[in-house]
Amino acid sequence: MYLGVAELIRAGRFDICYSQCTFDPRKMIYRSSYNGRRMNLFKVLLSSDCKFDCSYCQNAWRKGVTISPEELANIFKSMKEKGIVSGAFISSAVNADPDRVMERILETGRLIRRFHAGYLHLKIIPGCSKDYIKEAVEIANRVSINLETTSESRMNEISGVKSFKEDILRKQRMIAKCVDRKRKEGYRRSHTTQIIAGLGETDEEILDLMNKEYEEFGIARFYISRFQPLKFTPFENRKAGNQKRIVNLYRMDSLLRMYNYPISLLKEVMVDGFLPCLPSADPKVLIAEMLIDENRSVNCTNSCTKQSADSNFNFQLPPEMIPGCGRKISQLLREGKSLAQIKRMGYSVKRISAYLKGQKRIYEF
Ligand code: SF4
């Protein structure tokens, strides 16, 4: 693999979320997952030369490398044939007009589809035209456009070129429509987005945007990258983002995405727009203890409204909101299974037992 390609593969690591995707620098591949299955990914840029001016990104501030769609497709083909990777994620810096860059991304996608029916993810370039979005959704299993930050005013602080509303949110609306249409035709399609945490925004801003993205655009995942100050960029002397903060934001993400918690409840454990930033301060525990202390009961919407008539337990919290309860254990509790039965099935019930009404905290059940 020649040096330029290695640089284009390495450049992809600034766009990863670390909760689901990690970079293996020895094999030059990314390990990720799709639909619950682990996968080795060929994640690469077509160009690392950018005409835009994002203050945190090296691609804008030093000369990059560019490769042709044919070369990229051939490298993926050879890696796939050797069994090194099983999926591809094609992105690019904006080294030309956004439509021209999208044409190159689509051309790579078309070439890849000649020999690869598996996972293909294509990046949508901010500001590109609708027809390119439509075709990307035709070709790829998944498409994404990066939000990068939380609002127009924050975008103005990091880029003098990109418009948050016009170039990104408007394109996301188009993506959502195209994905929806393909799904109705019976195809498996999804779209995701990503932001950088640590550019001055609050947790509350991130969660409000995350909630809007799930509700309005039906995105599959909202990825969060920690800000890292990079040499040769205007932000090189800024403080790096806090990793513990990212962990807590992902915990909030799963409460919204998987358990339908109302956003208002998540905000109740914030102080001045931020979650308590301690590794031990799991927001699910904080929310449960707050509700129990205040003797409040709550429904976390549709999935939590049914309660089994013959349940052995009297829940103050819906099972999904009990710390230690994943979706599987919540289902078993709703079916009326006892903690002892659930434990015999191989699940840990130590944490759950602490939150059942009328019971003391039991560390060894
Ligand atoms: S658009 Fe911004 S973030 Fe993307 S490659 Fe260019 S400078 Fe970097």
Side-chain angles (χ1 to χ4, degrees):
M1 185 178 292
Y2 79 89
L3 262 167
V5 180
E7 183 183 325
L8 291 166
I9 293 176
R10 264 196 298 271
R13 74 192 187 284
F14 297 116
D15 182 27
I16 63 177
C17 59
Y18 294 96
S19 83
Q20 292 284 316
C21 186
T22 52
F23 177 53
D24 178 341
R26 203 172 47 85
K27 293 194 171 169
M28 298 300 281
I29 59 169
Y30 291 81
R31 299 186 201 285
S32 187
S33 66
Y34 178 66
N35 283 335
R37 289 218 315 272
R38 297 299 294 168
M39 155 174 67
N40 290 342
L41 200 57
F42 176 62
K43 183 171 190 290
V44 66
L45 307 188
L46 272 157
S47 174
S48 60
D49 216 359
C50 199
K51 288 169 76 174
F52 284 8
D53 63 347
C54 305
S55 301
Y56 53 83
C57 177
Q58 281 179 335
N59 295 339
W61 307 99
R62 59 176 197 182
K63 189 157 174 47
V65 185
T66 302
I67 189 173
S68 71
E70 293 75 17
E71 281 174 289
L72 210 63
N74 285 339
I75 295 167
F76 174 55
K77 190 173 187 194
S78 126
M79 288 173 84
K80 183 182 153 101
E81 281 167 359
K82 289 179 190 149
I84 303 170
V85 290
S86 57
F89 181 162
I90 310 301
S91 182
S92 182
V94 193
N95 63 333
D97 171 70
D99 282 350
R100 175 77 194 106
V101 181
M102 271 314 294
E103 253 167 43
R104 285 164 38 82
I105 291 177
L106 292 178
E107 178 57 14
T108 315
R110 284 184 218 111
L111 292 169
I112 286 176
R113 276 294 183 234
R114 289 187 188 169
F115 59 87
H116 174 71
Y119 181 74
L120 177 62
H121 183 152
L122 297 180
K123 186 64 83 186
I124 304 293
I125 299 298
C128 75
S129 315
K130 189 176 176 187
D131 286 349
Y132 294 102
I133 295 176
K134 257 171 104 178
E135 190 174 351
V137 175
E138 285 293 323
I139 297 174
N141 308 74
R142 177 168 278 183
V143 299
S144 60
I145 187 166
N146 288 358
L147 289 163
E148 312 292 15
T149 188
T150 51
S151 65
E152 186 75 53
S153 59
R154 296 228 177 260
M155 181 59 85
N156 292 342
E157 288 167 21
I158 59 177
S159 168
V161 181
K162 285 196 265 188
S163 156
F164 189 73
K165 283 189 191 139
E166 282 301 307
D167 294 336
I168 302 172
L169 290 185
R170 196 152 162 254
K171 304 301 159 190
Q172 264 196 322
R173 202 157 281 125
M174 291 175 187
I175 294 171
K177 277 190 189 151
C178 294
V179 165
D180 210 38
R181 200 172 308 127
K182 276 308 271 182
R183 282 200 191 134
K184 283 184 184 138
E185 289 169 17
Y187 295 93
R188 215 172 205 184
R189 293 291 186 271
S190 58
H191 65 121
T192 61
T193 191
Q194 175 263 13
I195 66 155
I196 301 169
L199 294 172
E201 73 298 316
T202 62
D203 290 348
E204 190 169 6
E205 283 173 52
I206 293 180
L207 290 182
D208 278 335
L209 183 62
M210 184 188 279
N211 193 44
K212 177 181 156 89
E213 290 278 318
Y214 286 128
E215 283 189 352
E216 272 185 40
F217 298 129
I219 57 163
R221 288 300 307 266
F222 185 98
Y223 292 116
I224 307 161
S225 304
R226 181 171 70 98
F227 167 68
Q228 302 173 59
L230 298 175
K231 278 196 173 154
F232 317 117
T233 68
F235 285 179
E236 71 173 317
N237 294 321
R238 287 208 178 185
K239 225 174 119 208
N242 182 336
Q243 187 54 32
K244 287 175 196 145
R245 180 182 180 213
I246 308 292
V247 171
N248 269 348
L249 286 168
Y250 271 121
R251 284 167 162 165
M252 289 299 205
D253 170 66
S254 55
L255 297 184
L256 278 177
R257 179 170 50 88
M258 293 159 65
Y259 298 107
N260 298 310
Y261 273 48
I263 181 97
S264 54
L265 201 53
L266 304 188
K267 289 188 183 181
E268 287 191 45
V269 293
M270 287 183 181
V271 179
D272 296 332
F274 287 93
L275 297 161
C277 201
L278 298 166
S280 55
D282 180 342
K284 194 172 183 183
V285 174
L286 294 178
I287 291 168
E289 292 186 340
M290 174 185 79
L291 294 172
I292 290 168
D293 283 352
E294 295 171 8
N295 203 21
R296 276 159 64 187
S297 58
V298 66
N299 264 334
C300 54
T301 67
N302 39 12
S303 71
C304 305
T305 47
K306 285 199 277 95
Q307 184 152 331
S308 168
D310 57 357
S311 168
N312 294 334
F313 299 105
N314 181 14
F315 302 117
Q316 178 184 351
L317 302 174
E320 286 82 357
M321 296 184 96
I322 298 172
C325 263
R327 281 186 294 187
K328 184 70 200 160
I329 298 185
S330 331
Q331 181 58 33
L332 292 170
L333 284 171
R334 286 192 182 286
E335 287 166 7
K337 297 270 186 305
S338 70
L339 285 191
Q341 283 171 316
I342 294 173
K343 186 172 190 291
R344 277 201 295 279
M345 292 164 88
Y347 297 100
S348 167
V349 295
K350 267 191 214 172
R351 288 175 81 203
I352 306 165
S353 61
Y355 294 94
L356 291 180
K357 217 173 180 180
Q359 291 194 30
K360 290 208 166 26
R361 197 170 278 246
I362 304 165
Y363 288 100
E364 285 306 325
F365 187 79

